[in-house]
């Protein structure tokens, strides 16, 4: 008599929830978000606030700060969806400006976290809004972030999250990877730029990390903004850009794709800036020639007047 064979299959629902939860804690943000749409069981597990809180704190150690942690704990998944994806095309307009910004800054070198800082900035004063936009993240200059190790500027990555506590929104204004580097031929310092440019290419906001020559110690970490002419943008105009970035749609593309797009936007900004400078130089050249021609004509007219008197 033949004995019927029985086969059993194990599904993901058969695994203990603790095992799945531990596995989900190892995922990055985009992968964890994708797990939410796999099936109802994974959706339930991956929607736990503890998972997203752990992800936020491991991705940005600066969020452990007591000023941010209570705000973050309300909805860590919403915070991650604000701060991790880059904002889509945005344009600054007339909006209600934030009265306070909290900056959460993290710097990595070759993937190793080396620097954290949290800065609270009062943006409501007329002094801040009328002055060039600048937020300084360094408490003391030329900090040795990795004692005994020289920092390679080209291997730095940076996250600069701006938080508006009044409306509960956040945005990462850094391109994560550098979009450009400049070396000061007089001091030997290297300035590493991390920037986000508006889609129209009219303004750019981003961080500049200045590293000392030889040691690689970071001397400055500042957030600035400039327009298409290279002039510093006022605090009021920069706040309009920040608010537009906070309210812009997030596409949630791949990390490498987002970083490459951020770099291309910045390069387009530089091209527009160069073309504008060349156009202005041509106009000024034509104006100089006209002024010279008029001056020569007046001079010869004066000589003729004297000669034929």
């Amino acid at each position: 008599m033949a004995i019927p064979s029985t086969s059993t299959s194990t599904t993901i629902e058969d695994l203990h929830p603790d095992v799945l939860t531990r596995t989900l804690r190892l995922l990055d943000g985009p992968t964890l978000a994708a797990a939410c749409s796999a099936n109802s069981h994974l959706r339930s597990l991956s929607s736990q606030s503890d998972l997203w809180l752990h992800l936020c704190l491991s991705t940005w150690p600066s969020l452990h700060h007591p000023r941010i942690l209570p705000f973050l704990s309300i909805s860590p998944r919403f915070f991650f969806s604000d701060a991790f994806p880059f904002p889509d095309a945005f344009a600054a307009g007339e909006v209600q400006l934030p009265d306070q910004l909290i900056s959460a800054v993290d710097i990595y070198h070759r993937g190793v976290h080396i620097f954290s800082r949290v800065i609270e900035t009062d943006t409501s004063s007329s002094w801040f809004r009328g002055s060039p936009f600048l937020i300084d993240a360094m408490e003391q200059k030329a900090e040795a972030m990795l004692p005994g190790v020289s920092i390679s500027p080209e291997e730095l990555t940076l996250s600069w999250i701006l938080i508006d506590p009044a409306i509960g929104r956040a945005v990462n204004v850094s391109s994560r990877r550098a979009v450009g580097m400049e070396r000061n031929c007089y001091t030997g310092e290297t300035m590493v730029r991390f920037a986000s440019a508006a889609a129209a290419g009219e303004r750019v906001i981003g961080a500049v990390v200045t590293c000392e020559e030889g040691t690689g110690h970071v001397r400055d970490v500042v957030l600035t903004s400039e327009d298409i002419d290279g002039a510093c943008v006022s605090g009021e105009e920069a706040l309009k850009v920040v608010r537009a970035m906070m309210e812009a749609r997030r596409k949630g593309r791949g990390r490498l794709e987002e970083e490459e797009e951020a770099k291309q936007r910045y390069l387009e900004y530089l091209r527009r800036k160069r073309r504008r400078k060349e156009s202005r130089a041509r106009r000024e050249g034509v104006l100089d020639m006209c002024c010279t021609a008029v001056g020569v004509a007046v001079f010869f007219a004066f000589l003729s007047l004297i000669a034929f008197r």
Side-chain angles (χ1 to χ4, degrees), residues 232-248:
C232 294
V233 172
S234 68
E236 181 175 358
E237 294 302 316
L239 290 176
K240 293 179 182 178
V241 176
V242 171
R243 176 53 62 86
M245 294 177 71
M246 287 182 175
E247 296 179 350

Side-chain angles (χ1 to χ4, degrees), residues 28-31 33 52 55-56 59-60 76-90 159-162 169-176 196 244-259 261-262 265:
D28 59 13
T31 309
W52 289 96
L55 179 62
C56 288
T59 304
W60 305 294
R77 182 176 178 180
F78 179 77
F79 183 91
F80 189 91
S81 65
D82 255 358
F84 187 81
F86 289 161
D88 198 11
F90 60 90
S159 168
W160 193 307
I161 301 174
L162 290 177
R169 296 301 302 269
V171 66
N172 200 328
V173 295
S174 170
S175 53
R176 283 199 286 264
S196 295
M245 294 177 71
M246 287 182 175
E247 296 179 350
R249 187 166 58 96
R250 311 299 201 263
K251 276 190 176 179
R253 298 174 294 273
R255 178 167 184 159
L256 294 179
E257 183 183 348
E258 286 190 330
E259 291 172 358
E261 182 177 338
R265 277 191 187 178

